[in-house]
């Protein structure tokens, strides 16, 4: 597949009252301390599998950008690394890790607009 392989992280702040789905190119690493400063939260950690199921209706290893549409309450903040937009398409799981789709960036933007899902672009 030609699209950029992505890393999808479901994280929470220390209090557990804010949840984030981070989408980034898979060869990048994330500095949680720096990211917590950018997001203006006390600290960040991976959310539990129970939270992942509760908020995005998926399991660890299967989470992808597409899962954000299952968050009908808008409880999860979508964060996309700016470098994703340098690619013409990305790879992502269609609600299961047994398959991978290649979706054009324009298609992702249209999907998020259709579901009225705002996102924040940051440099990771």
């Amino acid at each position: 597949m030609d699209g950029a392989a992505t890393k999808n992280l479901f994280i929470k702040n220390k209090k557990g009252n804010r949840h984030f789905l981070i989408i980034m190119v898979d060869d990048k690493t994330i500095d949680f301390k720096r990211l917590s400063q950018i997001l203006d939260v006390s600290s960040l950690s991976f959310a539990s599998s129970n939270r992942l199921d509760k908020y995005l209706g998926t399991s660890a290893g299967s989470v992808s950008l597409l899962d954000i549409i299952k968050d009908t309450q808008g409880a999860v903040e979508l964060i996309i690394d700016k470098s994703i937009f340098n690619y013409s398409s990305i790879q992502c799981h269609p609600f299961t890790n047994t398959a991978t789709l290649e979706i054009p960036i324009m298609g992702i933007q249209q999907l998020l607009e259709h579901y009225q899902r705002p996102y924040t672009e940051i440099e990771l």
Side-chain angles (χ1 to χ4, degrees), residues 30-43:
I30 193 161
D31 178 348
F32 275 16
K33 185 175 182 176
R34 182 175 165 270
L35 183 57
S36 65
Q37 292 171 344
I38 292 169
L39 299 175
D40 195 27
V41 295
S42 58
S43 70

Side-chain angles (χ1 to χ4, degrees), residues 6-11 19-23 49 51-80 90-99 101 103 108 111-112 115 117-118:
T6 58
K7 188 182 300 184
N8 308 279
L9 308 175
F10 185 61
I11 59 178
H19 296 83
F20 306 90
L21 178 57
I22 310 295
I23 311 297
S49 58
R51 286 177 189 261
L52 184 56
D53 181 51
K54 176 181 177 181
Y55 291 102
L56 295 179
T58 194
S59 58
S62 295
V63 67
S64 80
L65 174 64
L66 297 178
D67 290 307
I68 200 70
I69 65 175
K70 294 187 274 182
D71 174 30
T72 58
Q73 303 301 312
V76 178
E77 298 174 51
L78 180 59
I79 309 296
I80 302 176
I90 63 167
Q91 298 174 21
C92 61
H93 296 309
F95 310 124
T96 176
N97 63 3
T98 59
L101 299 175
I103 303 175
I108 294 295
L111 177 83
L112 295 174
Y115 284 97
R117 287 307 313 232

